[in-house]
Amino acid sequence: MRRHNGRHHSTTPRITRLLGSLLLVAAAGAFAVGAAPPVQDTAIPLGRVVPAPASAEPGGAPYRITHDTGIRVDDSREARQVAGYLADILRPSTGYRLPVTTHGGTGGIRLRLAEGPYGTEGYRLDSGHQGVTITAARPAGLFHGVQTLRQLLPAAVEKKSVQPGPWPVAGGTVRDTPRYPYRGAMLDVSRHFFTVAQVKRYIDQLAMYKINELHLHLSDDQGWRIAIDSWPRLATYGGSTQVGGGTGGHYTKADYREIVRYAASRYLEVVPEIDMPGHTDAALASYAELNCDGVAPPLYTGTDVGFSSLCVPKQVTYDFVDDVIRELAALTPGRYLHIGGDEAHSTSHADYVAFMDRVQPVVAKYGKTVIGWHQLTGATPAKGALAQYWGLDDTSAEEKAQVAKAARNGTGLILSPADRIYLDMKYTEDTPLGQDWAGLVEVRRSYDWDPGDYLAGAPASAVRGVEAPLWTETITDSADIEYMAFPRLPGVAELGWSPAATHGWDAYKARLAAQGPRWEALGIKYYKSPQVPWPTS
Ligand code: ACM
């Protein structure tokens, strides 16, 4: 693949640009005629996008969105929805009407569905004097192309009040398809509970960077967060608290469907996780019969791990698991159901293997594919299962070899190395939030590795993608989520989306720096890493 980073020079005649600037100055009302224009009137270079597109060839005149611009779209429901999404972003800041139409015409912004070399998520963006056309084979590709278009417009486009503009888009062609099909983020809603509105806000941020999987860690020792009709106390009692002892919460089935619907509207698939057989105190506290001794432990609001286990020999355990997986699968249009399997330190190895042998077929029975944390490779992963690797550089060679062997035997891998892309790790010693058990993870460290050759002995073809987990022992609200996710999350998105040939810290840090003003426009308070050359204004 080719990639050009050449700066694009506007070919708009100089006099037109000058007139435009003067008009803008007059409109802004803040500068005397003839003073320097208050806004930059040059287009953002075509390739200055995160994640890096597969190729960007600048050339020709830029397009300029004006009050005359419309959004033309093929007459498909999903394409119209993508157009509506784009209009909802552009209208508040431009102040333009931007009508969405399905009839013909020329110019303006066009979203076009057509067969071509785009795959299910790729797109092509052509920009020139007449307009911008995004072409894709599937609506997901149009949606990802819209994210690229957003980043080619000035950062002020993200604001919710009318801005002076202008709104140029550099001329040229972007061709883009993802490196990996699985590009995920995980939110732990168990250690602290997050409302539907908070989850939606994060979904919107993930979508900007072409993340397509939202993994929700729905149960742990500290809280059970999803209503299960056949075992109602899981949510009403097991979900009643959280780390630190505050009021927890849970999603009703209607809440959960709303999260799934909203995620789908942003082309994210929701991956629900019920962590088993460990990390189960909330369930064990809710139902005494799930305990081997028949005695319910108290609810837990601390942050230790590894002390709880479902009772592997008891039949009721499998009645429980069947009910939970059946009800959760019924809420899940997505392909996957994550069964956890990490840190089962209170389950013997033999019990762990026996448990996974019984539970994985239940997931298949309800039509879903198993994902487990990589400890699942210590049992027998089901055919088609994916293992999520969360080790560190200094994870034992034996443990790494076990995962690599499973990968050679057909288990797919999702890479979430904790000392690279656990978003709850502190950036530096001074980071006020987060943990440091996997080390300190500055922005460069989170970006500078290659998923393709990360795990020795695992074939590159086993790697399905990457996922950035955010555990929430110390994270309590959207501001906390955003401070830990930004700026590391876009780097994970780039590892998952961009061809390996585009990878490079020096070019990346400049593209990343250009995101800062966008986050400011969106009200995202991010960590201003000294490793990144943020713009000063
Ligand atoms: C994990 O961090 N226990 C998956």
Side-chain angles (χ1 to χ4, degrees):
M1 307 252 193
R2 275 179 315 147
R3 183 172 147 66
H4 303 271
N5 266 328
R7 175 179 294 278
H8 174 70
H9 291 283
S10 167
T11 55
T12 311
R14 195 179 167 73
I15 184 68
T16 313
R17 272 190 287 151
L18 187 62
L19 276 172
S21 299
L22 290 174
L23 285 170
L24 269 159
V25 167
F31 287 78
V33 171
V39 285
Q40 193 184 329
D41 191 15
T42 52
I44 289 168
L46 197 68
R48 191 181 287 171
V49 172
V50 178
S55 83
E57 292 173 48
Y63 177 62
R64 186 165 302 208
I65 297 176
T66 69
H67 61 271
D68 287 332
T69 300
I71 303 177
R72 292 184 300 124
V73 63
D74 289 351
D75 196 8
S76 117
R77 185 180 56 86
E78 277 194 273
R80 280 202 312 274
Q81 281 170 353
V82 176
Y85 168 92
L86 174 61
D88 285 347
I89 291 165
L90 300 183
R91 282 175 188 148
S93 50
T94 63
Y96 304 148
R97 280 180 55 244
L98 294 159
V100 175
T101 58
T102 51
H103 46 75
T106 54
I109 298 172
R110 178 155 186 225
L111 305 184
R112 186 173 154 253
L113 288 169
E115 291 311 316
Y118 313 114
T120 52
E121 293 193 290
Y123 66 91
R124 171 179 168 141
L125 183 151
D126 294 287
S127 174
H129 182 65
Q130 290 271 313
V132 175
T133 299
I134 299 171
T135 309
R138 299 282 178 273
L142 294 180
F143 186 80
H144 296 319
V146 160
Q147 302 308 330
T148 296
L149 175 59
R150 270 173 98 168
Q151 291 189 32
L152 293 175
L153 286 161
V157 80
E158 302 295 346
K159 294 197 174 168
K160 294 290 176 278
S161 58
V162 178
Q163 304 295 311
W167 307 107
V169 181
T173 297
V174 173
R175 292 182 181 83
D176 209 6
T177 53
R179 180 179 184 188
Y180 292 114
Y182 191 109
R183 306 178 306 280
M186 188 207 81
L187 185 63
D188 170 10
V189 297
S190 178
R191 270 50 176 269
H192 281 97
F193 182 64
F194 294 85
T195 64
V196 173
Q198 287 171 321
V199 174
K200 286 182 175 179
R201 182 174 163 91
Y202 198 37
I203 287 170
D204 279 331
Q205 293 162 1
L206 299 174
M208 287 173 62
Y209 296 99
K210 304 183 174 83
I211 296 283
N212 66 348
E213 306 282 351
L214 174 66
H215 169 184
L216 290 175
H217 185 74
L218 290 169
S219 72
D220 211 303
D221 293 316
Q222 296 86 347
W224 185 287
R225 305 299 181 203
I226 179 74
I228 299 293
D229 297 336
S230 49
W231 298 75
R233 269 174 64 81
L234 291 171
T236 58
Y237 181 70
S240 63
T241 190
Q242 58 185 358
V243 166
T247 307
H250 70 270
Y251 306 119
T252 64
K253 286 191 169 176
D255 290 339
Y256 192 77
R257 284 196 189 93
E258 175 59 14
I259 291 172
V260 169
R261 183 203 65 77
Y262 194 81
S265 77
R266 271 75 178 143
Y267 294 89
L268 280 95
E269 177 178 59
V270 176
V271 179
E273 178 187 355
I274 298 297
D275 202 347
M276 305 180 272
H279 289 278
T280 43
D281 188 82
L284 297 167
S286 303
Y287 287 97
E289 64 265 42
L290 294 177
N291 297 269
C292 282
D293 63 3
V295 178
L299 292 170
Y300 183 70
T301 60
T303 59
D304 288 345
V305 299
F307 60 86
S308 57
S309 180
L310 292 174
C311 185
V312 173
K314 271 191 172 178
Q315 175 55 37
V316 67
T317 296
Y318 305 96
D319 299 340
F320 163 80
V321 167
D322 194 289
D323 286 336
V324 168
I325 290 179
R326 174 173 44 77
E327 292 195 32
L328 197 53
L331 290 170
T332 302
R335 296 160 291 176
Y336 302 114
L337 209 144
H338 200 308
I339 57 173
D342 58 321
E343 294 174 314
H345 304 320
S346 299
T347 316
S348 71
H349 178 68
D351 273 1
Y352 183 86
V353 172
F355 180 81
M356 288 304 180
D357 281 352
R358 278 190 78 170
V359 167
Q360 292 182 93
V362 179
V363 176
K365 179 169 93 175
Y366 293 114
K368 301 299 172 191
T369 296
V370 167
I371 303 180
W373 297 106
H374 75 257
Q375 284 71 21
L376 179 63
T377 61
T380 312
K383 193 168 171 343
L386 305 183
Q388 183 167 7
Y389 181 75
W390 60 282
L392 323 175
D393 281 356
D394 61 6
T395 291
S396 74
E398 192 186 356
E399 188 170 335
K400 288 178 180 165
Q402 175 189 286
V403 180
K405 183 174 172 206
R408 287 195 302 277
N409 289 336
T411 299
L413 297 179
I414 298 164
L415 297 178
S416 301
D419 54 352
R420 297 283 183 175
I421 61 172
Y422 263 33
L423 297 179
D424 56 314
M425 289 302 121
K426 290 177 181 288
Y427 296 99
T428 71
E429 279 174 2
D430 297 330
T431 305
L433 302 167
Q435 309 213 57
D436 62 4
W437 61 263
L440 301 170
V441 184
E442 250 290 5
V443 179
R444 181 169 186 167
R445 182 167 174 78
S446 66
Y447 173 78
D448 232 350
W449 59 285
D450 179 5
D453 71 0
Y454 178 75
L455 196 63
S461 61
V463 178
R464 305 299 157 79
V466 293
E467 181 180 293
L470 179 52
W471 302 98
T472 60
E473 284 90 341
T474 69
I475 307 298
T476 64
D477 60 18
S478 288
D480 290 354
I481 292 174
E482 289 154 28
Y483 186 77
M484 299 310 273
F486 295 92
R488 289 179 293 199
L489 174 84
V492 180
E494 177 148 319
L495 288 167
W497 179 279
S498 306
T502 66
H503 195 86
W505 169 252
D506 287 337
Y508 174 67
K509 74 180 180 193
R511 282 183 290 109
L512 182 62
Q515 303 296 306
R518 289 170 195 283
W519 302 335
E520 280 157 29
L522 286 162
I524 296 173
K525 293 205 174 61
Y526 57 100
Y527 165 58
K528 284 212 162 175
S529 168
Q531 297 183 331
V532 181
W534 307 107
T536 44
S537 66

